[in-house]
Amino acid sequence: MSSTTTLQKEGGPTGNPGDGQPSDGLKAGLKNRHLSMIAIGGVIGAGLFVGSGGGIAKAGPAILISYALVGAMVVFVMRMLGEMAAASPNSGSFSAYADRALGRWAGFSIGWLYWFFWVVVLAVEATAGAAILESWIPAVPQWAWALIVMAVLTATNLGSVASYGEFEFWFAGIKVVAIGAFVIVGMLAVFGVLPGSDNPGAGFAHLTDAGGFFPNGYGAVLTGVLMVVFSFMGSEIVTLAAGESENPRKAVTRATNSVIWRIGVFYLGSIFIVLTLLPWNDKSITEKGSYVAALDSIGIAHAGTIMEVIVLTAVLSCLNSGLYTASRMAFSLGERGDAPKAFAKVNKNGVPVAAILGSTVFGFVAVYFNYAFKDTVFNFLLNSSGAIALFVWLVICFTQLKMRGILVREAPEKLTVKMWLFPWLTWATAALIMFVIGYMFVDDANREVVTLSTLVAGLVVLVGVVLDFRRKRALQG
């Protein structure tokens, strides 16, 4: 079997992966600066800003270990994904690779689950953004703000991939500058050298002066893992976007190599600043939010409003990227015959209009459910998609185990990025992910989420297996 047969999508376009112009109808409209900022901003979700306070309250300073564990897991998964994406950039990313390495049923299943995850996220983020905008302009009801935000970002994505890239460049840029400034200013305050600071600076004393580094026991680290793991979702978006960049292979390689410092600075660095500026059990961390509480302790005026602007930016960034990601996954599924053929068609600007509109429609419906049936239908959608991030990472692990052998055998020159300590570190990462999933089943706060997510995933896999079986029988007959 030739390398073209294995490494090319079944029924998909031919072409040389890594070329400046995608061969599947999409256009290379993303510049290097777009990809760089998408890669950096992809790991900074709204969950970092609004969810970190709860994790700190549960685990204390030991939440740093929770973030480090999940961060390491994401670094390893991104390295695996980078290995495959650098060898064969593709708008379907891990779904297309699973299709090739594990079978059509796997690509179908993980692709549709990932699409489902992001269209539900669209509703969550649109509602969150609308709540902030309504607090600023009460004359416009929250549901109207949600529709406005969705409509504007849909129009942006329909324009061209360059429009998405430009919006994301600025959205991500604001997040990066905000956290970078927070880390620098916070570090100066920690050591008492920030002029005009209201915080006297205790150095590293707050890490241990309120019950020690593990005030709630070692087990709280695992609880912290479950609370922070979902804030990391989005780091893989750059591997989907790379297929529409000027130099996909270079973009993927750069993003993969930089993921360590991105997670280190933005997650560990900023949470470390919060924990050194305030005792972990300071009530303001949960009442105001960890970043607002830290800024207030320094004496930064209007800290709450500043953080609202940053959170809104993070929400809009997540919405923008979520719509892009869902549409490109739908496009890839359509291209492989696993979704309506209309999803695989692009207009003269290289934009998959049907895939974008199809994703947007479901997003609008989910927004409606969030207002009309919040405690029933929408709650089911939210819970049944909650653990999909972990399923995606697990599939990436198993796909890379198989793809490495294919690449070594048929196209070794394309292995420009390699997973470290293969295959041992890949297996170890898969084992850690499975442990986290298993722990969710015994954790009261996460049992419903992982159970419903597993049931939905099982149903989608069953559909994928049946369709694959029928397809094979048709070919034989």
Side-chain angles (χ1 to χ4, degrees):
M1 182 181 292
S2 67
S3 61
T4 302
T5 303
T6 302
L7 297 177
Q8 193 66 37
K9 292 176 283 190
E10 182 180 341
T14 58
N16 186 22
D19 286 349
Q21 181 66 38
S23 56
D24 50 12
L26 301 175
K27 289 191 176 181
L30 294 176
K31 301 181 184 298
N32 288 333
R33 66 182 178 88
H34 293 153
L35 262 293
S36 297
M37 200 56 76
I38 289 170
I40 295 173
V43 297
I44 310 173
L48 173 62
F49 299 107
V50 300
S52 55
I56 291 172
K58 287 288 185 181
I63 194 68
L64 287 170
I65 297 179
S66 303
Y67 273 104
L69 285 172
V70 178
M73 189 164 65
V74 172
V75 167
F76 298 150
V77 169
M78 278 298 294
R79 187 72 183 184
M80 297 175 218
L81 187 53
E83 176 180 300
M84 297 182 286
S88 181
N90 191 294
S91 60
S93 188
F94 49 83
S95 173
Y97 307 141
D99 189 311
R100 302 169 191 173
L102 305 178
R104 289 290 295 273
W105 65 270
F108 171 93
S109 303
I110 205 64
W112 277 115
L113 286 171
Y114 192 67
W115 178 87
F116 174 56
F117 171 85
W118 279 111
V119 292
V120 173
V121 166
L122 291 180
V124 175
E125 299 297 340
T127 304
I132 295 175
L133 290 168
E134 186 192 31
S135 70
W136 295 348
I137 309 177
V140 180
Q142 189 178 118
W143 64 265
W145 277 121
L147 294 182
I148 291 170
V149 167
M150 286 278 289
V152 169
L153 293 179
T154 297
T156 298
N157 275 265
L158 286 172
S160 67
V161 69
S163 299
Y164 156 71
E166 198 63 31
F167 269 73
E168 190 57 25
F169 176 81
W170 292 106
F171 286 153
I174 292 173
K175 292 189 293 184
V176 169
V177 170
I179 291 195
F182 177 81
V183 171
I184 294 172
V185 171
M187 187 59 73
L188 293 174
V190 166
F191 293 104
V193 294
L194 180 67
S197 173
D198 293 343
N199 192 312
F204 302 142
H206 289 321
L207 293 176
T208 56
D209 64 3
F213 193 76
F214 298 93
N216 296 325
Y218 297 104
V221 172
L222 293 178
T223 302
V225 165
L226 298 185
M227 297 187 71
V228 306
V229 66
F230 304 109
S231 64
F232 282 84
M233 193 63 171
S235 55
E236 70 289 332
I237 291 175
V238 68
T239 64
L240 282 81
E244 294 176 82
S245 69
E246 297 169 337
N247 192 329
R249 192 166 292 141
K250 182 178 179 181
V252 168
T253 302
R254 182 182 299 168
T256 303
N257 290 337
S258 65
V259 70
I260 297 176
W261 72 259
R262 286 186 276 132
I263 289 176
V265 171
F266 298 129
Y267 277 86
L268 289 174
S270 61
I271 298 300
F272 177 81
I273 293 299
V274 172
L275 289 167
T276 48
L277 282 175
L278 293 166
W280 71 271
N281 55 358
D282 191 302
K283 291 183 179 180
S284 64
I285 292 178
T286 51
E287 291 174 354
K288 300 178 181 179
S290 55
Y291 291 87
V292 173
L295 291 174
D296 276 344
S297 77
I298 297 173
I300 302 294
H302 309 295
T305 302
I306 292 172
M307 195 51 59
E308 278 190 341
V309 172
I310 296 171
V311 170
L312 178 61
T313 302
V315 164
L316 294 177
S317 172
C318 190
L319 264 172
N320 193 38
S321 290
L323 183 54
Y324 171 83
T325 304
S327 66
R328 289 330 187 256
M329 186 57 73
F331 168 82
S332 179
L333 288 165
E335 200 178 28
R336 286 177 274 145
D338 290 332
K341 291 182 179 179
F343 284 1
K345 295 180 180 179
V346 299
N347 63 13
K348 62 181 181 180
N349 294 324
V351 175
V353 175
I356 292 174
L357 292 179
S359 302
T360 302
V361 166
F362 195 98
F364 276 121
V365 171
V367 169
Y368 169 72
F369 285 150
N370 192 18
Y371 289 105
F373 307 103
K374 184 179 181 66
D375 297 327
T376 53
V377 179
F378 187 74
N379 190 52
F380 170 79
L381 292 176
L382 196 61
N383 287 333
S384 61
S385 64
I388 287 175
L390 292 168
F391 298 159
V392 167
W393 294 344
L394 189 60
V395 168
I396 289 173
C397 292
F398 291 132
T399 301
Q400 191 262 339
L401 285 167
K402 188 73 177 290
M403 279 294 289
R404 169 64 76 89
I406 295 173
L407 288 168
V408 167
R409 186 171 61 252
E410 301 176 1
E413 72 281 359
K414 293 182 179 179
L415 274 171
T416 55
V417 176
K418 291 185 178 181
M419 175 59 181
W420 307 295
L421 300 176
F422 180 83
W424 312 113
L425 197 50
T426 300
W427 279 113
T429 305
L432 179 58
I433 295 171
M434 287 188 286
F435 174 79
V436 172
I437 293 173
Y439 188 70
M440 289 180 72
F441 278 106
V442 299
D443 182 73
D444 292 338
N446 290 278
R447 187 179 297 112
E448 182 179 6
V449 171
V450 71
T451 300
L452 288 177
S453 296
T454 302
L455 290 174
V456 169
L459 178 62
V460 175
V461 169
L462 178 62
V463 172
V465 170
V466 170
L467 290 176
D468 198 18
F469 177 74
R470 289 181 176 179
R471 192 181 293 115
K472 289 177 180 177
R473 283 195 63 181
L475 290 174
Q476 292 172 355

